[in-house]
Amino acid sequence: MTYSDIVLDHYNNPRNVGTLDSKSNTVGTGLIGNNEWGEVIRLQIEVSLTTRVITAAKFKTFGGGAAIAASSLATEWLKGKTIEEAARIDNMDFVAALNLSPVNLHCSILVEDAIKASINDFLRKNGLEELSVAEIENADIEEEEDIFH
Amino acid sequence: MPKLPIYLDYNATTPCDPRVVDVMLPYFTEIFGNAASRSHAFGWTAEEAVDHAREQVARLIGAEPKEIVFTSGATEADNLALKGVFEMYSSKGNHIITTETEHKAVLDTCKHLEKKGASVTYLKVNNEGEIDLKELEAAITPQTILVAIMYANNEIGIVHPIKEISAIAKKHGILMMTDATQAVGKIPVNVDRDGIDLLALSAHKIYGPKGVGALYVRRKSPRVKVTAQMDGGGHERGMRSGTLNVPGIVGLGKACELCMEEMEAEAKRLAVLRDKLEKALLELEEAYVNGSTQHRLPHVSNLSFKYVEGEGLMMGFNREIAVSSGAACTSASLEASYVLKALGLGDDLAHASLRFSLGRFTTEEEIDYTIQAVTAAVKKLRDMSPLWEMFKDGIDMNTITWEHH
């Protein structure tokens, strides 16, 4: 298994490893995967309740090099994005950025799912509707609107 | 500081011993004759070299030279033994007994034979990797023609009680075949003492060249016959046609001779180093040995480090240390090793395993370096592992609802 330099960089210098307080209502936690696959990804985001902008992101991952690198990269990407923008991160974005081979496609899907799960956890906690497909796709035009009436 | 990278994957393959290479070299250029050319000196010298190698191989396993059939390796020897016996003895029965933890060369050949009408029993193993001899005997039917059980397992190094197994087979008039690829040259193997009728071995696991191996086929009590799987010039008494790989065979012979001379001392030296490595790594929390430590090859240690994943762990040092992982997270199936699963290991442990296999050129300095590098990598990965955090917080992993995608 040979990985790209960027995978090795994230593996050797993982960004934002850690834990946020999962009980806080500004934190969304996504725990995806299971032991059976040998991959468990926990991604956490801290979101501003007023702007819906992600102010912090942390991960912990049990898995191979690709899963660790994709999780680490995800935390970098998430910071500063609104949750709608974050929800549009696609697994193929990781494949492209990390130059992953087809056997590692699975890891990229798990990370995408972990992002969505963390967003939905945040929304559920705050009594908000989970994002619909339309909202994700129209995030560009809607991102300026304040949905917190 | 040892020279990097360090090789601790001798069960995968071994470097050719320079002494083996030396004796092989003339057979590529000067002594290039076809061993089947009976009419001139070029052929005669090649044949002499092959005969000498046949004796060297036979001596290592306590066989007669005439009982050695050269093949391209152990996979071919396994195929020839299983398919050859099945076809030769089909009138007597169609049942083969083997184990769940065999090498794929045996398992996949058995699967192939099932399509050809064979009935195969795959014996289960216990959490140490051992088979139950009572279960073996109970599996025997009037249709059973062959018991095929490996001498030593490639992943965990367990050595099966071949003598006891063959005694059961003999009692019921059944042939006993063993894939001894990992055992020959490492521990004493003797076809008479062990009651073996067919035995597969390979040169590249014992410091010989790749692409050559042998099948032992018993000639007396009982006289075993196998149906050839290759048609052609009738080489190797008709059992394996194809021009002999003379340099390879010469190398295999020399490799066997060296093992014969050095095996005992080497096994002792490696057991000390292996135990040092194992003891040091077991000092890490939640670290376990996989398979029996009672009946085990002296140079193998298969360890699981819970809450880290094997491939991810290996990445921490694989530019410096070469080992194998029982985790197959790089494959599309994401399956853990079937051998470790057969021992009953949970997925968490099966995914978190490393196989260290030491060999002739392993030094103590290398082992010391490995201990330090693996320990550091385990600690680093655990700091990154959500499962480790849950474990440390006392959370029962079974209470977690995993979100599947």
Side-chain angles (χ1 to χ4, degrees):
Chain A
M1 185 84 243
T2 49
Y3 287 122
S4 62
D5 288 344
I6 176 160
V7 170
L8 295 177
D9 177 39
H10 276 277
Y11 175 87
N12 290 316
N13 311 292
R15 325 309 195 240
N16 308 306
V17 176
T19 309
L20 296 171
D21 177 12
S22 60
K23 293 194 181 76
S24 162
N25 70 332
T26 60
V27 170
T29 302
L31 183 66
I32 290 286
N34 65 34
N35 278 345
E36 212 171 302
W37 298 332
E39 279 171 335
V40 178
I41 291 161
R42 190 189 67 196
L43 205 69
Q44 294 184 300
I45 51 172
E46 189 168 58
V47 187
S48 157
L49 289 169
T50 49
T51 61
R52 291 165 72 108
V53 168
I54 296 168
T55 53
K58 296 272 185 200
F59 85 95
K60 280 210 175 183
T61 288
F62 162 86
I68 290 168
S71 309
S72 169
L73 182 61
T75 60
E76 284 199 322
W77 282 352
L78 287 168
K79 252 168 103 170
K81 281 195 167 61
T82 64
I83 54 175
E84 286 79 8
E85 286 170 329
R88 284 193 303 154
I89 295 174
D90 184 78
N91 80 290
M92 290 312 286
D93 298 336
F94 294 107
V95 173
L98 297 170
N99 195 15
L100 297 180
S101 65
V103 292
N104 292 126
L105 202 64
H106 191 255
C107 311
S108 68
I109 296 168
L110 290 185
V111 177
E112 182 193 321
D113 288 350
I115 294 173
K116 296 210 161 79
S118 67
I119 293 168
N120 286 330
D121 180 54
F122 164 78
L123 293 171
R124 268 198 308 268
K125 240 184 224 174
N126 291 285
L128 300 166
E129 292 272 313
E130 293 186 9
L131 293 180
S132 69
V133 174
E135 274 174 314
I136 294 168
E137 283 174 355
N138 296 325
D140 276 339
I141 23 178
E142 286 186 11
E143 67 189 21
E144 299 299 320
E145 293 178 19
D146 180 15
I147 316 172
F148 287 78
H149 315 287
Chain B
M1 180 84 174
K3 187 174 166 280
L4 299 179
I6 294 163
Y7 190 75
L8 292 176
D9 203 14
Y10 282 83
N11 277 17
T13 195
T14 57
C16 219
D17 192 301
R19 294 169 291 179
V20 169
V21 178
D22 283 347
V23 299
M24 286 172 69
L25 284 175
Y27 292 92
F28 287 102
T29 49
E30 298 146 46
I31 319 170
F32 61 86
N34 187 330
S37 297
R38 292 266 159 80
S39 56
H40 53 66
F42 293 86
W44 301 334
T45 33
E47 196 187 7
E48 267 169 42
V50 169
D51 284 346
H52 180 56
R54 213 184 287 282
E55 281 168 25
Q56 289 168 312
V57 177
R59 202 172 303 136
L60 182 61
I61 58 168
E64 294 295 324
K66 277 188 174 172
E67 297 175 309
I68 303 299
V69 176
F70 290 115
T71 65
S72 63
T75 292
E76 193 194 326
D78 285 330
N79 270 263
L80 176 56
L82 291 159
K83 293 174 183 173
V85 164
F86 178 72
E87 288 174 26
M88 182 60 72
Y89 299 96
S90 57
S91 60
K92 292 193 175 172
N94 70 338
H95 184 226
I96 295 169
I97 300 172
T98 186
T99 76
E100 277 186 338
T101 50
E102 292 295 306
H103 190 271
K104 288 282 183 191
V106 168
L107 286 180
D108 286 357
T109 306
C110 286
K111 298 254 158 66
H112 171 86
L113 289 176
E114 282 180 297
K115 287 184 207 143
K116 304 276 176 187
S119 154
V120 182
T121 299
Y122 301 91
L123 295 173
K124 294 203 179 308
V125 296
N126 67 12
N127 59 5
E128 303 250 283
E130 299 161 337
I131 59 159
D132 182 340
L133 295 180
K134 287 196 194 84
E135 217 170 285
L136 163 67
E137 190 153 19
I140 293 170
T141 75
Q143 290 296 306
T144 311
I145 52 172
L146 181 70
V147 172
I149 294 176
M150 70 199 327
Y151 210 110
N153 183 272
N154 47 312
E155 285 194 40
I156 56 172
I158 185 176
V159 178
H160 288 295
I162 295 300
K163 209 174 154 183
E164 283 82 355
I165 293 167
S166 69
I168 293 169
K170 201 167 209 74
K171 193 169 113 189
H172 294 271
I174 298 160
L175 295 177
M176 164 69 198
M177 178 249 165
T178 188
D179 174 352
T181 311
Q182 298 287 352
V184 164
K186 313 290 170 60
I187 54 172
V189 172
N190 185 296
V191 290
D192 284 338
R193 178 201 67 194
D194 298 332
I196 296 161
D197 297 318
L198 299 115
L199 175 149
L201 63 89
S202 182
H204 80 103
K205 306 283 192 191
I206 52 171
Y207 311 93
K210 290 168 183 62
V212 60
L215 178 67
Y216 158 80
V217 185
R218 179 171 287 281
R219 268 167 67 88
K220 266 188 275 179
S221 59
R223 183 183 179 87
V224 181
K225 289 190 209 164
V226 293
T227 302
Q229 300 299 306
M230 298 262 229
D231 297 313
H235 309 75
E236 297 298 273
R237 288 178 292 117
M239 282 189 268
R240 203 278 190 179
S241 286
T243 297
L244 293 181
N245 168 11
V246 179
I249 288 166
V250 166
L252 169 60
K254 182 66 183 176
C256 287
E257 185 191 302
L258 293 173
C259 284
M260 188 88 192
E261 290 163 5
E262 299 172 6
M263 175 169 76
E264 200 183 328
E266 195 170 302
K268 278 188 192 141
R269 185 182 76 89
L270 293 179
V272 171
L273 292 181
R274 187 270 313 270
D275 292 346
K276 180 178 187 180
L277 173 75
E278 191 169 275
K279 188 168 172 280
L281 293 179
L282 286 177
E283 278 174 22
L284 284 159
E285 277 178 85
E286 297 293 309
Y288 304 92
V289 184
N290 296 317
S292 167
T293 51
Q294 290 290 310
H295 311 284
R296 187 169 53 154
L297 292 171
H299 61 282
V300 181
S301 176
N302 191 311
L303 299 172
S304 280
F305 305 95
K306 218 171 170 183
Y307 311 116
V308 292
E309 189 270 342
E311 193 255 356
L313 176 59
M314 260 202 321
M315 240 182 109
F317 50 75
N318 65 2
R319 292 182 171 213
E320 296 162 0
I321 304 164
V323 297
S324 274
S325 169
C329 109
T330 50
S331 79
S333 62
L334 294 164
E335 274 171 14
S337 145
Y338 67 90
V339 172
L340 297 181
K341 299 274 273 185
L343 302 191
L345 256 73
D347 291 296
D348 48 350
L349 281 174
H351 276 294
S353 73
L354 296 179
R355 178 188 71 186
F356 299 90
S357 44
L358 286 56
R360 192 171 284 170
F361 305 103
T362 304
T363 64
E364 179 153 22
E365 198 186 16
E366 289 179 333
I367 293 300
D368 291 338
Y369 187 90
T370 302
I371 289 168
Q372 170 258 315
V374 174
T375 303
V378 169
K379 286 183 174 159
K380 181 186 162 176
L381 268 273
R382 280 182 173 168
D383 284 344
M384 226 188 283
S385 168
L387 304 179
W388 180 249
E389 186 185 301
M390 290 175 207
F391 166 70
K392 281 288 170 185
D393 290 345
I395 295 168
D396 180 0
M397 238 61 81
N398 296 324
T399 63
I400 294 166
T401 325
W402 300 105
E403 275 188 64
H404 296 253
H405 72 100

